[in-house]
Amino acid sequence: MKKVITYGTFDLLHQGHINLLRRAKALGDWLIVGVTTDNFDLERGKMNTCGNVMERIEAVKATGLVDQVIIEEYKGQKIDDIRKYGVDIFAIGSDWTGYFDYLKEFCEVVYLPRTEGISSTQLRQERPTVRIGVIGTGSIASRFVPEAAFVNSNAIVAAYNPDPQAAQAYCTRFGIPTVAHSPEELYAACDAVYIASPHYTHYEYARQALMAEKHVLCEIPFVFNVREAEELFDLADRKGLVLMPAHKTAWCPAYGHLFTLLKSGVIGEIAEVNASVTTLTDEHSEKLDSQRLGGSMNENGCFPLLPILQLLGTGYRNINFYSKMKNDVDMYTKAVFRFDHAVASFQVGLGVKTEGNMVISGTKGYVYVPAPWWKTDYFEVRYEDQNKNKKYFYPFAGEGLRYEIKEFVSCVLEGRTLQSKLTRKEILTMTRVQEQYLQGENVYKI
Ligand code: C2G
């Protein structure tokens, strides 16, 4: 029996893919198709794939041309597969001509004619464009525009800042067509807004934007009051709009896989999570202004809260906060959580620097994520027996905002109002912790 193998993403499966599969099948008796995983695609720079790996596998199977589907998850796997399955012919489209000649050492390599005039990229570009307006034009907003350029189906069309000169400078710098002179002018120009203004203004802009029927991607910290967060989610639901807090870590590939690995028990039962985020800041910065919800806990707290609440659950018993104060704000805060079967702690600082790593301890081993863990591309799972230790590497492209932007744009286009990787309950609990701190509950000031 002659075995043929081919590989691909097969996103938005189209006639070009079907022709390729038919031609590959005709080369032998048994056709194996390797469908790339979402992570492998990210790693090889394909970040705009619409269907997830399961959807793409189903589409390939539904062609009826395939005898066996496998998943492709790492570079170099093709050689392993050819040997493992006893493959006679490796076939691939002519857009790859020459690239896979190194496989000739292991089997016959055939480049099949590519179908002209159709591609997944073209189909993705035909999707409607989400027009995004930016509110607040500071440093995070400046990182947002170049990152959004890596994501399909969006365009940054307008920006607003109460300081018109700042808005003008931002629009000139990034070639944004509309300098909005009021939030209303901004809402009129777009389908969705990205709120990147100081955090004490988030609630009001988010409410206004939702009232104006706009989808909202809101920077974190989202809001500081559970009642306000619930009100905004209710409003978004009533209007059928997407309201997504922009927690970039939740969408970052390494963190995503760390979460699934830990949930599948690689270190046994989790007994402790400890994470730190410190970002030394100029004393005169707005981030340290007590009148504007400044301070370390307000500014950085939602980062360590993500792994703590996602790994240990939202049902903590209590939290004690220890804060080193200056000018009425915390320059550094350590928080200690009691859960029924675990403890957690974090350190956040704007005026104190410490190692920004994360350690998750379990009954069988621990995970070490080096600083800065919240935008990591690498972590290690370590055991008593060092021979069992494993290192994991992932892409973390640019500033890492593109992953959350991709999720937001997909949610808007697909009418998906809930996000699987960061639940409402987790966001509301984060907000509750922030609120509890602001109310001084179990806060010990030093
Ligand atoms: N294809 C084609 N005609 C088109 C579009 C695609 O013949 N109009 C072929 C490609 O040449 C490839 C297959 O369909 O052989 C799958 O294409 P993609 O989904 O774009 O996957 P690709 O990125 O080419 O993956 O390990 C993955 C492989 O290296 C290739």
Side-chain angles (χ1 to χ4, degrees):
M1 186 169 67
K2 214 175 204 182
K3 285 190 175 180
V4 183
I5 198 163
T6 190
Y7 294 85
T9 305
F10 300 104
D11 192 29
L12 305 175
L13 196 108
H14 54 70
Q15 195 56 43
H17 294 138
I18 294 170
N19 294 346
L20 185 285
L21 293 175
R22 189 171 292 125
R23 286 169 189 149
K25 171 86 174 169
L27 294 173
D29 311 301
W30 186 260
L31 177 62
I32 306 175
V33 178
V35 178
T36 51
T37 62
D38 302 332
N39 260 337
F40 185 49
D41 273 330
L42 271 180
E43 207 176 299
R44 60 194 197 106
K46 275 197 173 187
M47 73 153 295
N48 285 300
T49 308
C50 295
N52 65 40
V53 65
M54 290 313 296
E55 292 163 344
R56 293 181 284 109
I57 287 175
E58 285 311 315
V60 166
K61 279 188 184 162
T63 62
L65 295 164
V66 178
D67 299 293
Q68 189 177 355
V69 175
I70 59 172
I71 60 167
E72 185 186 23
E73 45 191 344
Y74 60 89
K75 201 167 168 62
Q77 186 185 321
K78 291 183 176 79
I79 296 175
D80 286 341
D81 290 340
I82 290 167
R83 287 167 149 175
K84 186 158 119 195
Y85 299 108
V87 167
D88 302 288
I89 300 175
F90 167 86
I92 195 106
S94 54
D95 44 325
W96 292 98
T97 299
Y99 188 89
F100 289 107
D101 285 356
Y102 67 89
L103 295 175
K104 285 182 178 164
E105 195 183 327
F106 305 94
C107 68
E108 190 184 335
V109 173
V110 176
Y111 297 102
L112 293 167
R114 183 183 160 86
T115 308
E116 292 309 318
I118 185 156
S119 71
S120 307
T121 310
Q122 188 188 323
L123 291 176
R124 284 193 293 262
Q125 279 163 356
E126 282 169 9
R127 298 207 304 175
T129 296
V130 178
R131 296 170 307 150
I132 301 177
V134 178
I135 299 181
T137 55
S139 77
I140 183 83
S142 298
R143 283 180 263 159
F144 186 83
V145 185
E147 286 284 307
F150 288 95
V151 180
N152 277 174
S153 312
N154 81 91
I156 315 285
V157 294
Y160 168 73
N161 189 313
D163 170 358
Q165 278 176 344
Q168 177 67 64
Y170 180 82
C171 288
T172 306
R173 179 174 168 202
F174 294 111
I176 298 170
T178 303
V179 184
H181 295 93
S182 67
E184 292 69 29
E185 198 183 329
L186 182 98
Y187 305 143
C190 63
D191 311 306
V193 296
Y194 169 54
I195 301 177
S197 52
H199 37 250
Y200 69 95
T201 64
H202 286 178
Y203 166 74
E204 193 46 40
Y205 284 130
R207 199 185 59 79
Q208 279 180 11
L210 291 168
M211 290 301 288
E213 316 288 333
K214 305 299 154 190
H215 302 280
V216 173
L217 176 64
C218 182
E219 257 315 320
I220 53 165
F222 175 39
V223 291
F224 289 89
N225 177 308
V226 175
R227 189 186 41 73
E228 285 178 357
E230 281 172 341
E231 184 197 318
L232 292 174
F233 282 130
D234 285 348
L235 183 56
D237 286 348
R238 266 188 280 127
K239 299 211 168 253
L241 294 164
V242 178
L243 169 59
M244 178 176 147
H247 203 311
K248 70 169 187 266
T249 307
W251 308 102
C252 127
Y255 176 80
H257 194 215
L258 173 65
F259 173 81
T260 52
L261 274 178
L262 288 167
K263 289 284 177 188
S264 59
V266 288
I267 60 164
E269 189 191 336
I270 298 174
E272 172 160 23
V273 178
N274 178 264
S276 302
V277 177
T278 59
T279 44
L280 270 192
T281 301
D282 179 326
E283 249 187 68
H284 305 292
S285 157
E286 273 199 359
K287 291 182 179 174
L288 284 165
D289 184 344
S290 64
Q291 303 299 308
R292 297 182 163 195
L293 290 173
S296 309
M297 178 62 198
N298 290 348
E299 183 69 27
N300 289 339
C302 40
F303 286 99
L305 279 168
L306 177 79
I308 292 174
L309 300 178
Q310 291 200 320
L311 294 170
L312 299 177
T314 50
Y316 61 86
R317 289 282 165 192
N318 65 28
I319 314 175
N320 286 344
F321 300 94
Y322 304 91
S323 289
K324 185 171 169 53
M325 306 294 292
K326 192 173 177 185
N327 302 331
D328 246 9
V329 289
D330 60 321
M331 305 301 276
Y332 185 70
T333 289
K334 182 173 180 86
V336 181
F337 293 64
R338 177 164 74 90
F339 286 83
D340 280 342
H341 303 288
V343 291
S345 55
F346 68 70
Q347 296 80 239
V348 285
L350 293 176
V352 171
K353 191 73 192 158
T354 188
E355 170 77 8
N357 62 4
M358 173 159 72
V359 177
I360 301 161
S361 314
T363 51
K364 294 186 182 152
Y366 73 95
V367 167
Y368 170 74
V369 192
W373 68 263
W374 57 96
K375 46 181 183 177
T376 192
D377 55 359
Y378 153 72
F379 60 82
E380 281 183 53
V381 182
R382 295 176 178 170
Y383 298 97
E384 195 68 47
D385 175 359
Q386 290 185 19
N387 294 318
K388 291 188 182 156
N389 289 2
K390 236 180 137 172
K391 296 182 168 74
Y392 293 84
F393 298 88
Y394 300 85
F396 184 85
E399 295 285 342
L401 302 178
R402 61 194 69 177
Y403 308 112
E404 76 187 13
I405 301 172
K406 184 194 168 191
E407 173 67 11
F408 178 66
V409 170
S410 302
C411 282
V412 170
L413 290 175
E414 291 157 22
R416 220 166 9 97
T417 52
L418 293 179
Q419 290 83 45
S420 56
K421 288 192 177 171
L422 181 56
T423 66
R424 291 256 174 105
K425 189 157 189 207
E426 287 157 358
I427 296 161
L428 290 171
T429 310
M430 266 179 211
T431 311
R432 175 152 58 95
V433 175
Q434 300 270 30
E435 186 175 357
Q436 185 179 331
Y437 181 79
L438 278 172
Q439 288 173 347
E441 213 178 299
N442 294 346
V443 178
Y444 302 92
K445 295 182 176 171
I446 304 163

